[in-house]
Amino acid sequence: MSVSKNMVDVILFFPKTGMDSMVQLPLSVLCVASTLTNYELSLIDERIESDALKQVEKKSASAICVGVSVMTGRQISYGLRASKVAHGNARVVWGGIHPTLEPGQTLNNKNVDVVVRGEGELTFLDVVKSLEAGSDLSRIDGIGFKERNGKQILTKDRKFVDLNALPETPYDLVNVEKYITQREGFRRCLTLQTSRGCPHDCTFCINPVYNRRQWRSLAAERMVARTVRLKERFKLDGIIYQEDNFFADMRRVEDFCRIIQEKNVDIRWKANCRISYLARKNKRFYDMLEKAGCKLLQFGVESGSDRILKILRKHTTTQQILEVNRKLAETRIECRYNFIVGIPTETIEEIQTTLKFIEVLKRDNPNLKSSFVNIYTPWPGTELYAKSIQEGFISPRKLEEWAQFNWNDALMPWIDKKTARFMRRVSSRYLTKSKFFKPNL
Ligand code: B12
Ligand code: SF4
């Protein structure tokens, strides 16, 4: 039970990210908050609250702990800033992608007391209860912490949560209106997550490490029910499914589309997809997506070079990409393709091949609305990260160094100056078209 209902027991802090011109719901901390029903919570989103740090300083005086959500990069520096102002009595707990990938280094920082590795809903609840009771943290799976003598303890991995058994997202903790955007051509849209993880093992992606190649989801009926509730409560015309892999289970996709149509749900949506999933699909499948409201599909196409696609382990060929692109041209579904350049061993000629490939894709498919060209960044824990280190990449060793780890930088040792200049030009030509990717540090 809560210590006192007048004061805050737990603060959940979502730091700025450095790319905050169009903010989306802070789903990570909202999901973590869903299970803390017996505690007085304060959810502070630094991206939209100008007095966020003052709030942490003041409210943490009575709090059991301050939970901070952190992804690799700039968000670390803002997370550290908040952790430093937290009151000494409140323990600082970091969760999210970065502390999961680098728990030891995160705990090395004197401002972090505990790390939650992986999904936070059940683990953080256990941590809060244990901190409140002053009991032994070592019995909690999926965390790391420091003993009094400074020794770090990492407990064993925790099983994934059952998404169907979790409480609903507590939207009342935030001012949802501030997160409703007009992105992707919607008038009012929000993000929703109905599955987690991905069964694939692309060598550049953190998903195989973070989600151990296990895909989990809400059942189709529940997915539609949440969609409808979100749409009706906030008067939305669009939903962005914030999934790692929306299409991993085609039966769920088919059921979802069928129920949406049966219930006559008037909603349009965007999701991520894989080229290989659509390669064998016929017109009936595309029609079904359209009728169920699919407005935009985003694909990680990644490269126009078959050699690079193999290195990335995409299990896709350029031939297949061209074919799927032509099929998509016959629908009314808008498309967005993401590409990566600067992969270890990639040559400037291969990058040029990718650029020409983008032009062919555009020519073949008028529904292709945008292509993003990202410069490869080695994320800790991935297979290509190890390869990058072999190729001379020097990995950051502490949190402050990771905070300076810039995405899209082209500073990798295997890239010569001429190629780096070329890649930056190419990337900014494609990325600056997007409001979404405008950095605002
Ligand atoms: C929305 C989003 C963004 C948004 C906002 C960031 C945010 N965190 O919300 C913006 C646009 C800023 C963004 C930017 C980028 N992103 Co991004 N983004 C996402 C995305 C699509 C959804 C995040 C989300 O809301 N997930 C849903 C929640 C429920 O999951 P979760 O965040 O993992 O939270 C759970 C646990 O991690 C944990 N947890 C999280 N926080 C906390 C806190 C506490 C206290 C506790 C106890 C637990 C806990 O519990 C939660 C519930 O189980 C993810 C992919 C994904 N599916 O997660 C990528 C992802 C986080 N992004 C990624 C990347 C690479 C980027 C970019 C580099 C650009 C790019 N290529 O996408 C930039 C970098 C920005 C920068 N400044 O450096 C990577 C992460 C890389 C890394 N090592 O951090 C991801 C995983 C995508 C991927 N598969 O590669 N991103
Ligand atoms: S890049 Fe996409 S398909 Fe590949 S492992 Fe990551 S989430 Fe899965």
Side-chain angles (χ1 to χ4, degrees), residues 227-282:
T227 301
V228 170
R229 275 205 290 282
L230 201 64
K231 167 194 151 57
E232 286 177 355
R233 181 165 170 195
F234 300 110
K235 315 238 173 313
L236 307 178
D237 68 329
I239 300 266
I240 297 177
Y241 290 105
Q242 195 77 283
E243 336 255 310
D244 299 310
N245 190 334
F246 182 89
F247 287 87
D249 176 354
M250 283 297 178
R251 194 165 332 141
R252 187 183 84 130
V253 174
E254 301 228 358
D255 286 347
F256 164 75
C257 291
R258 180 180 46 75
I259 303 171
I260 285 270
Q261 284 182 68
E262 278 169 7
K263 292 190 185 291
N264 232 340
V265 183
D266 182 19
I267 190 78
R268 304 204 69 206
W269 47 273
K270 175 207 163 186
N272 293 335
C273 192
R274 247 181 95 89
I275 292 285
S276 59
Y277 288 174
L278 296 191
R280 284 182 302 273
K281 293 295 175 201
N282 55 23

Side-chain angles (χ1 to χ4, degrees), residues 197-208 244-245 274 277 302 312-314:
C198 172
H200 301 283
D201 61 344
C202 305
T203 53
F204 61 96
C205 177
I206 66 127
N207 220 303
D244 299 310
N245 190 334
R274 247 181 95 89
Y277 288 174
E302 320 302 6
L312 300 177
R313 211 183 284 124
K314 285 301 288 188

Side-chain angles (χ1 to χ4, degrees), residues 19 204 298-303 308 312 336-343 346 351 354-355 358 371-377 379 406-410 415 422-432 434 436-437:
M19 292 172 77
F204 61 96
Q298 177 163 319
F299 297 81
V301 171
E302 320 302 6
S303 182
I308 296 297
L312 300 177
R336 172 173 308 143
Y337 297 157
N338 286 322
F339 294 85
I340 308 179
V341 294
I343 301 294
E346 186 171 17
I351 298 173
T354 293
L355 298 182
I358 295 175
S371 296
F372 292 155
V373 179
N374 303 292
I375 300 174
Y376 171 66
T377 311
W379 299 111
N406 274 340
W407 162 67
N408 229 15
D409 234 357
I415 296 167
F422 175 63
M423 287 198 314
R424 282 204 195 95
R425 255 199 334 269
V426 168
S427 175
S428 62
R429 195 170 83 219
Y430 284 92
L431 287 185
T432 45
S434 160
F436 186 53
F437 275 104

